[in-house]
């Protein structure tokens, strides 16, 4: 299934094993899903935008909270998270310099954006990848998926970002795009 971009799920009902398959939808970088609000938990508006415009219209536009998921009733919580995302968003809090991260991830299409607490001495920034495929994961599976991403990364990041309802604050900082392959 993996080599053919298919997710195979296994479930059990009355000790009977059921297998189901789902073809993954390829990500269109001109139609990236995101949600945003001026409030920490309420009013998260679903939006679709071009990855190339994400920094200017949201990530570096002060006053917003944003997430990679949409939510029932626009209320940000793990219980109300709707399955489906095409962005991987990571938080780096000084464990790696921005220049090093840019070099280590130079093969990928990625957006780097500094955070409010970023300094020349202690680099703090977001790493935002458009993924090769749109994934639909339940909160528990999303956490496991993110743990695998953390293990793959060549540097440390904030592991609290494994929460499906994680939000980030926009910041009028610096940003850098790298053009490369989509993360698979």
């Amino acid at each position: 299934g993996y080599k053919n971009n298919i997710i195979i799920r296994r479930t059990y009902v009355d000790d009977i094993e059921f297998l189901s398959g789902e073809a993954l939808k390829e990500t269109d970088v001109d139609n990236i899903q995101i949600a945003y609000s001026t409030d920490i938990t309420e009013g998260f508006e679903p939006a679709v935008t071009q990855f190339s415009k994400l920094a200017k219209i949201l990530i570096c536009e002060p006053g917003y909270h944003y997430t990679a998921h949409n939510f029932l009733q626009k209320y940000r919580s793990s219980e109300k998270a709707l399955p489906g995302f095409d962005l991987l968003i990571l938080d780096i809090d000084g464990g790696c310099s921005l220049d090093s991260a840019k070099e280590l991830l130079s093969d990928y299409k990625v957006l780097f954006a500094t955070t409010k607490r970023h300094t020349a001495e202690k680099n703090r920034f977001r790493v935002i990848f458009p993924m090769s495929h749109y994934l639909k994961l339940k909160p528990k599976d999303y956490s496991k998926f993110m743990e695998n991403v953390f293990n793959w990364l060549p540097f440390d990041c904030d592991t609290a970002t494994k929460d499906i309802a994680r939000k980030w604050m926009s910041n009028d900082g610096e940003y850098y795009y790298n053009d490369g392959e989509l993360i698979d």
Side-chain angles (χ1 to χ4, degrees):
Y2 171 76
K3 289 183 180 181
N4 294 302
N5 300 314
I6 297 172
I7 289 183
I8 298 173
R9 297 186 196 277
R10 177 174 40 188
T11 57
Y12 292 92
V13 176
D14 296 328
D15 293 328
I16 300 171
E17 179 182 36
F18 292 91
L19 299 173
S20 63
E22 176 185 349
L24 297 176
K25 179 180 132 189
E26 287 188 19
T27 295
D28 176 358
V29 294
D30 290 331
N31 291 291
I32 294 292
Q33 173 187 288
I34 199 153
Y36 66 94
S37 177
T38 56
D39 187 80
I40 292 174
T41 53
E42 297 180 345
F44 273 83
E45 294 291 333
V48 175
T49 189
Q50 296 174 344
F51 183 72
S52 62
K53 294 182 178 179
L54 195 56
K56 284 186 179 180
I57 65 168
L58 181 62
I59 307 302
C60 295
E61 185 65 33
Y64 291 100
H65 303 273
Y66 60 94
T67 70
H69 287 82
N70 289 319
F71 301 93
L72 283 174
Q73 300 158 341
K74 301 178 185 177
Y75 188 85
R76 186 181 64 83
S77 73
S78 294
E79 296 77 29
K80 294 189 180 272
L82 297 171
F85 65 103
D86 48 21
L87 285 179
L88 251 175
I89 306 174
L90 305 170
D91 198 24
I92 313 303
D93 288 329
C96 179
S97 73
L98 180 56
D99 287 337
S100 293
K102 287 165 44 177
E103 180 64 30
L104 289 166
L105 300 173
S106 64
D107 291 340
Y108 297 97
K109 182 179 278 294
V110 61
L111 165 61
F112 299 93
T114 60
T115 65
K116 180 174 72 172
R117 294 178 31 211
H118 174 80
T119 65
E121 297 77 33
K122 193 159 189 172
N123 291 185
R124 294 173 184 264
F125 54 96
R126 308 267 188 269
V127 178
I128 305 172
F129 295 99
M131 299 186 332
S132 63
H133 292 83
Y134 184 81
L135 296 180
K136 295 178 184 177
L137 300 176
K138 295 176 183 173
K140 182 180 79 170
D141 295 330
Y142 180 81
S143 290
K144 289 179 183 177
F145 170 80
M146 291 302 293
E147 287 172 6
N148 287 327
V149 171
F150 302 153
N151 290 331
W152 167 81
L153 282 172
F155 48 83
D156 290 334
C157 71
D158 180 356
T159 58
T161 60
K162 71 179 184 176
D163 177 18
I164 198 167
R166 175 68 177 207
K167 66 98 182 160
W168 293 269
M169 187 73 179
S170 62
N171 177 55
D172 185 16
E174 299 175 22
Y175 67 90
Y176 310 90
Y177 277 99
N178 186 64
D179 196 23
E181 64 184 81
L182 298 179
I183 193 165
D184 187 356

